[in-house]
Each structure stands twice: as structure tokens, then as C-alpha cells.
Amino acid sequence: MTAKLRDVAEHAGVSVRTVSNVVNGFAHVAPATRQRVQASIDALGYRPNLAARTLRRGRTGLLALVVPEVDSPYFADLAARTVRAAQARGLTVLVEQTDGDADREKRLLHGDRAHLVDGVLFSPWATTPADLAARTDTTPLVLLGEHDGTPGVDHVAIDNVAAAREATAHLLAAGRTRVAAVGVQPHSRNATARQRLTGYRAALTAAGLPTDPALEVPVHRLHRADGHQAMHTLLDSPDPPDAVFCFTDELALGALRAAGERGVPVPTALALVGFDDIEDGRYSTPALTTVSPDKDRIADLALDHLAHQASTPGPPRSTTAPHRLLVRETT
Amino acid sequence: MTAKLRDVAEHAGVSVRTVSNVVNGFAHVAPATRQRVQASIDALGYRPNLAARTLRRGRTGLLALVVPEVDSPYFADLAARTVRAAQARGLTVLVEQTDGDADREKRLLHGDRAHLVDGVLFSPWATTPADLAARTDTTPLVLLGEHDGTPGVDHVAIDNVAAAREATAHLLAAGRTRVAAVGVQPHSRNATARQRLTGYRAALTAAGLPTDPALEVPVHRLHRADGHQAMHTLLDSPDPPDAVFCFTDELALGALRAAGERGVPVPTALALVGFDDIEDGRYSTPALTTVSPDKDRIADLALDHLAHQASTPGPPRSTTAPHRLLVRETT
DNA sequence: CACGTTGCATGCCACGTTGCAAACTGGGGT
DNA sequence: ACCCCAGTTTGCAACGTGGCATGCAACGTG
């Protein structure tokens, strides 16, 4: 058993309470006492028992960040930034991975980690507005990423519709006429994909072009392999596109690889835009044009929301983080 | 305040202890009682207070995974696999990020999270054997990745020297004669880089080739930007290499991009081998030849070690996970 | 019918910490 | 000599849970 407050108190010849005061840096402790207690702490290698402290204080200093997958570059990046932002506020982040599993999401949403974390940053994949409405757990919650019809839940996201519209418009402005969209998720509740599709269509419509179902390619997940396969499918079609808007950079990188395999030169014969601004896209050949969400801002805003919920009860708030189009070599 | 055991007990008209028995699935509870209590639990939305439970039980079910950076693809991948492996064992992983900061590593090593986690999986960057020797915290610890001179600490890694030798030998076997190594870390304590350098040199020596300091390129970190810059430096040199062994895939992808910028065809004029087998390398053009460590095995072995430490006291153990060379298009 | 057994339910306590309020100390003013 | 006050230190209680030991009732057995 490791040393506890009482052991330190006995060793230093003071009360338990005084040791606690020293540990917590309270003001009114005589310098001599403080020094003596500190010496005992060091001698015994005392470490506060965080479980006991939490039980007493009612707060843990822990946040959960719930994402579909930690190894997807976008979420890895977001996680890293969130961890850093939280560190700056003296908080620790518990990264939780759902693998897009609806049950696991539901369990986490409904308080599987209740009392273990002070707040939850939730990046939903399969969660529906109904799931959210049915939530009874009182742990502060902030939704990351788009989710339509959010009922009474705090929420931070970029404007996906606008971003997708800009990306598509960028392709159209370069004179492309057959612009495909890769990343449609027909059987998924995922709202992000739906919103990006909306923006894509809006851009086409604004340019006076028809939407063509053959150019809206569904995928299972949003990974490189899916983009790779989707691009091969598109290139196999009788009337292949001259530009592709991919809903994630990973899809785009898979598509880029597929174009290379088929000898289709990018960006001349085929222009490509991704979404997320992951680092791989900066070093691919050619480098990927992409929509860059301000991830630092997203992380920071999300933490703001949590802090605000903890201190000030009030109606749920929604915040939009900025994004911008980074034009690189694929367009 | 959310419901606690006592509230449920009053609601169901039973004792606190009986509710606890129901919550924990104890055997001797009458079906009728169990049902009634369960109904009260649902009605009140009771969630066990994990802090109190931890305090009482002495275990948290949490593990810490300490890595330099979550957003580096290798560590993101490892983290994802570790989280899944832990989930399968009913454990939760707390991902901790040090940014390679020696102080933060030291603090975590010395029990900053004591009592909050049952064990620590530690992937050191700046930690020295002396730091490890000075450790007083008693939380079970497993070192991930190579670390030389580990004194009395459990340890899981691949054979970096052998892997680096194989990678280099592969380049030499293809007839390359000027093989550079990118990823040397002269001012760092990092043991992994050192071991890969050792393997690289061993392969050269075994092939009867001299080691050339001009071909051993130091880098600051192991990212794409570093590999990119290192490759440009190499190509600027009077006698550029015809092959490069990069100590990580990220370095290799940066180098690949640089080669492309300079119009150096890969693999004809320049062969390239990376290390880590991250997903980007499978979809780059050309696809990256790399050393693939068995990350699932690493995660699993590490958890085995922790479980073993918790149950059976004994001398520290070292385990080596397998790796293999994946030959793709850059060689 | 008494007794042991089994199945079920309960009370008490401690896990290690901190909030609260009270208690002590010594120095300076009256 | 007394009191007061600011500066220190302390004891007590409680946070919510689970281990332990035991109470209690009903049942089956000799």
C-alpha cells in the first residue's frame, strides 16, 4: 500500500488536515510547517488518491472525447489538439473509441462513464436525434461535428453545407462540368455526409448543372480503401467525371491512388478536392486541395461550452467554427 | 445530484446493500426483489459512482497509454488497437500525450496518475534509464518500444536492430550501393532511432560497404516535414544516394514527396524503405515498402504484461513482437 | 418436533480525502 | 493584566460504495 495522508501526518507530526492543506497549496500554513510536511511527503513518496479526492470534491478533472476511430487521421488530429487544449486548462482527456458502433455510442451517451468524467465531447456516427432526446444522464455534453435536429444539446461544428458548396464551386469555377461526389452514406444516420451532399448539390444547382445520381458515389466507410474503390468504379463508368469532390481527405487519397493506377493524370484530366486537411494530403503527390476546418478552434470552443455548462445553467448553445479552402495541386 | 444507492434503496423499499448486490449481479437475490430493484434503478436513472466504487475496490479498470503524440499515424494506430484490445478485456484506456516533453514524461512516470489507473503503457521519447531507475511509483508499468538498458521494467518491442538490418539489406540486395539513412537523432535520448541506425550500419558492414557519415541524415522529429527536408538535403549533396532507408513511414512519405518535387523517379533512380506500416504508405504513389511491426501483438502483449504484474509478482519480463518487411512499389 | 441448512436480506464499517467551523497561538493595543 | 485579532492548526463528518459477518425466515431432515 502506498502512503496516504495519515501516514504523512504521523511522519511529520501534524494533523491530517494540515497535510491536506499543504498538498493543496492553501494559504495559511506556516513556512516551517509547510517545509516539514513537504519533506515527509517526499520521503514517503506520497501521491494523492485521486479516487478519494474525486469522491470528496465531486469533480474528476477528466473529460471524455468520444470518436468513432482514433486512428483515422482527422480524429487523431482532433484528439491531439483537444488533449493539448485541455491540458492548458488543467484537464485530462479520456479518449474513447466507438468504432461507429451504435450500441457503444448509446451506452456512452447514456452515462456509462457517469461520475468518471466531468464532461463528454461526443463525435457521433450512428447516434440519432431520438437517442439524444432520450438521454437522461446529466453529465455535460457537447456534440462535435454536424448533427441535424439536435434537440437541446450543445454543439460545435463547421458549416458543412457551405464548405461543401465552396469546394464544389471551386471545381466548377475551374471549368469542370462533370463533378462527382464520393462519400455518400445512404444507409447511415451520419449527418455530416448528408450535409456535404447538400452543399455539393447546391453548388451544382447554382451553376445551372443537373445533379446526376451516377456521380454521387456511396461508400461504406470514409477510408482510403473506400475512396480507392469508388474512384475505380467512376473510371469504369461510361461517362467518367472530370472532377471529384471527396467528403474526406482519406477518400480523396484513395481516389488519387486509383487515378494513378489507371494512368489518369491529376489535376489535368481529373481534379480532386478533399475535406479535413489531414497531414498526408500536404505531402501526397500531387498535394491535395482540401477544406480545412479549424480544429484548434473546434477543440477550444468545445471546452468553452463544457466550462460554460458547468458554471452557468442555460439553454443549449450552438457554435460554428471557421473553415477555409486550401487550394493545392490536385485542382 | 444524480441518484445514489440509498435513493434506489428507499425507492424500492430494500436495504442499500441489496441494491448493491443487484447492481453487481450477486447470486443470492430473489428474482422478485431483483426485478423490483432493477425497476427502481431504471426509474431513478441510477448510475454507479465510479469514484466511490474505485475508492472501495482499489481498482479503477483504467489504463493509461502514454505516447509522444496521438496524431502521429503510428501512435494513433497503436492507440486504436490498444483501446480495442483493452475493451475486449473490460478495460478502458486513457490516452495521454507528452509531446515528447521530458518533464511531462517524468511526471507521468513518477505517478502523476497514481490511483487513477491500474497500469501504465509507456512509450518513451525522452525518458532515460536513470529516470526509470529513479521511479518510486508502484503502478504496474510496461514500456512500449525499444529502450536500452531498461533496469527492472517490463518491456514489449520489436527487434529494431534486426528489422533495420533487413530493410537495409533489402535495398542492398536490389543492387543499391549508396544507401542513406534518414532519421538519426543525435541530440536525443531516443533509443529506437539509435537501434535502427545500428541495424542499418550492420547491414552495410555485412555487405562489405563502408558507413558514410554524409549518408546518415539527422532530423529533429520523425515527421513528414523532416523527411522532406532531409531528402532535399541529400539530393543537393555532390554524391546523392540511390536508396534511402527512413526510420519511419512519415519520414519516407516526406522524402517521397521531395523526390517527386525534384523529378527523381522512384523506385528507378531512388529506392525507398520506410518503417511502421502506416496506412498512408499503402495508398501513396508509389506505395511504400516498409517494415511492419505487429501492432496488435504489441498491444496484446503489453496488456498481458500488465495483467501478469497485477496477479503475479516476479522479475520484469521482456517480450519481442514480430515484424516483417512489406515490399511494395518504392523498391 | 427440534435442528441444521440453505437462500436471502441487512447493518456496520472503512476506503482516503476535503469542507466546515471551531480551537489554539502569540503579539499588540487598551 | 486583559482582550482581541490575525494567523495557524485541528477534529469531525461525509462523499457513495462494497466486504464482512450476521440476522432472519422457511424448508427439509432425522
Side-chain angles (χ1 to χ4, degrees):
Chain A
M1 206 53 197
T2 62
K4 48 189 145 186
L5 275 187
R6 193 170 55 213
D7 300 329
V8 178
E10 284 173 9
H11 186 273
V14 295
S15 77
V16 171
R17 198 62 244 282
T18 299
V19 180
S20 172
N21 284 340
V22 171
V23 170
N24 291 287
F26 270 31
H28 294 308
V29 176
T33 311
R34 181 180 299 275
Q35 203 166 357
R36 189 154 41 93
V37 171
Q38 189 59 53
S40 297
I41 287 176
D42 294 341
L44 299 179
Y46 167 77
R47 310 282 165 204
N49 182 320
L50 298 187
R53 174 175 286 180
T54 294
L55 179 59
R56 191 64 248 250
R57 287 187 179 165
R59 282 177 304 101
T60 65
L62 280 182
L63 302 180
L65 172 66
V66 180
V67 296
E69 33 195 17
V70 183
D71 50 345
S72 164
Y74 174 74
F75 289 117
D77 194 359
L78 183 64
R81 290 166 199 263
T82 304
V83 169
R84 287 193 195 101
Q87 235 155 23
R89 299 175 188 225
L91 297 168
T92 304
V93 174
L94 179 60
V95 182
E96 201 79 56
Q97 182 170 251
T98 64
D99 286 319
D101 182 65
D103 274 351
R104 198 152 336 144
E105 286 197 358
K106 194 173 292 189
R107 243 177 298 132
L108 286 168
L109 197 59
H110 288 11
D112 205 36
R113 294 272 175 271
H115 302 282
L116 177 62
V117 297
D118 295 337
V120 180
L121 306 179
F122 195 88
S123 189
W125 177 265
T127 295
T128 63
D131 290 330
L132 286 170
R135 184 176 131 97
T136 58
D137 184 36
T138 56
T139 310
L141 173 75
V142 176
L143 237 45
L144 297 186
E146 207 47 70
H147 198 270
D148 34 34
T150 50
V153 180
D154 269 33
H155 177 213
V156 176
I158 64 166
D159 185 340
N160 273 285
V161 176
R165 197 173 49 225
E166 289 163 29
T168 310
H170 166 65
L171 290 169
L172 296 171
R176 310 287 167 162
T177 54
R178 283 190 61 75
V179 180
V182 169
V184 183
Q185 302 245 290
H187 302 306
S188 162
R189 290 256 158 223
N190 189 291
T192 304
R194 200 152 47 235
Q195 302 203 348
R196 291 182 188 171
L197 180 62
T198 302
Y200 157 79
R201 285 179 179 164
L204 290 185
T205 305
L209 291 172
T211 62
D212 178 353
L215 289 179
E216 298 178 354
V217 187
V219 294
H220 179 54
R221 305 291 295 255
L222 301 174
H223 296 163
R224 291 178 185 80
D226 303 295
H228 182 257
Q229 191 190 329
M231 186 52 123
H232 274 300
T233 304
L234 279 171
L235 293 176
D236 284 337
S237 73
D239 191 7
D242 58 4
V244 179
F245 168 43
C246 295
F247 289 3
T248 71
D249 277 2
E250 285 193 85
L251 287 172
L253 290 170
L256 181 60
R257 163 85 200 177
E261 289 169 358
R262 300 287 281 260
V264 176
V266 175
T268 46
L270 183 77
L272 212 52
V273 176
F275 206 115
D276 284 348
D277 188 20
I278 66 179
E279 207 196 345
D280 331 22
R282 279 199 280 284
Y283 286 90
S284 65
T285 306
L288 190 61
T289 294
T290 191
V291 174
S292 175
D294 191 336
K295 295 166 205 150
D296 279 328
R297 193 106 176 80
I298 292 174
D300 222 49
L301 284 172
L303 295 180
D304 281 347
H305 277 237
L306 278 189
H308 186 264
Q309 279 189 46
S311 64
T312 329
R317 308 180 309 156
S318 245
T319 315
T320 303
H323 67 269
R324 64 207 170 96
L325 183 70
L326 295 181
V327 178
R328 292 200 280 238
E329 300 165 1
T330 54
T331 58
Chain B
M1 204 53 198
T2 61
K4 48 189 144 185
L5 275 186
R6 193 170 53 212
D7 301 328
V8 178
E10 284 173 10
H11 187 274
V14 296
S15 78
V16 171
R17 199 59 247 283
T18 298
V19 180
S20 171
N21 285 339
V22 170
V23 170
N24 292 287
F26 270 31
H28 294 307
V29 177
T33 311
R34 182 180 299 276
Q35 204 167 358
R36 190 154 40 92
V37 170
Q38 189 60 52
S40 297
I41 287 176
D42 295 340
L44 298 179
Y46 167 77
R47 309 283 166 203
N49 183 319
L50 298 188
R53 175 174 285 181
T54 294
L55 179 60
R56 190 62 248 249
R57 287 188 179 163
R59 282 175 305 102
T60 64
L62 280 181
L63 301 180
L65 172 66
V66 180
V67 296
E69 33 194 18
V70 184
D71 50 345
S72 164
Y74 174 73
F75 289 116
D77 194 359
L78 182 64
R81 290 165 197 264
T82 304
V83 168
R84 288 194 194 102
Q87 236 155 21
R89 299 174 187 226
L91 297 167
T92 304
V93 174
L94 180 61
V95 181
E96 200 78 57
Q97 181 169 252
T98 65
D99 285 320
D101 182 66
D103 274 351
R104 197 150 341 142
E105 287 198 357
K106 193 174 294 190
R107 242 177 299 130
L108 287 169
L109 196 59
H110 289 10
D112 206 35
R113 295 274 176 268
H115 303 281
L116 177 62
V117 296
D118 295 337
V120 179
L121 306 180
F122 194 90
S123 189
W125 176 264
T127 295
T128 63
D131 290 330
L132 286 171
R135 184 177 131 97
T136 58
D137 184 35
T138 56
T139 310
L141 174 75
V142 176
L143 237 46
L144 298 185
E146 208 45 71
H147 198 271
D148 34 34
T150 51
V153 181
D154 270 32
H155 177 214
V156 175
I158 63 165
D159 186 340
N160 274 285
V161 176
R165 198 174 47 224
E166 288 162 31
T168 310
H170 166 66
L171 290 168
L172 295 172
R176 310 287 167 162
T177 54
R178 281 190 63 74
V179 180
V182 168
V184 183
Q185 301 245 289
H187 303 306
S188 161
R189 291 253 157 227
N190 189 290
T192 304
R194 201 153 47 236
Q195 302 202 349
R196 292 182 187 171
L197 180 61
T198 302
Y200 158 79
R201 285 179 179 165
L204 291 185
T205 306
L209 290 173
T211 62
D212 179 352
L215 290 179
E216 298 177 356
V217 187
V219 295
H220 179 53
R221 304 291 295 254
L222 302 174
H223 296 162
R224 290 178 185 80
D226 304 295
H228 183 256
Q229 192 190 329
M231 187 52 133
H232 274 299
T233 305
L234 278 172
L235 292 175
D236 284 338
S237 73
D239 193 5
D242 57 6
V244 179
F245 169 44
C246 295
F247 289 4
T248 71
D249 277 2
E250 284 193 87
L251 287 171
L253 290 170
L256 181 61
R257 164 85 200 175
E261 289 170 357
R262 300 288 281 261
V264 177
V266 176
T268 46
L270 183 77
L272 212 52
V273 176
F275 204 116
D276 284 346
D277 187 20
I278 65 178
E279 206 196 347
D280 331 22
R282 278 198 281 284
Y283 287 89
S284 64
T285 305
L288 191 60
T289 294
T290 191
V291 174
S292 175
D294 191 336
K295 295 166 206 152
D296 279 327
R297 193 107 177 80
I298 292 174
D300 222 50
L301 284 171
L303 294 180
D304 281 347
H305 277 238
L306 278 188
H308 187 265
Q309 278 189 47
S311 64
T312 330
R317 307 180 310 156
S318 246
T319 314
T320 304
H323 66 268
R324 63 209 171 96
L325 183 70
L326 295 181
V327 178
R328 293 198 281 238
E329 299 165 2
T330 55
T331 58

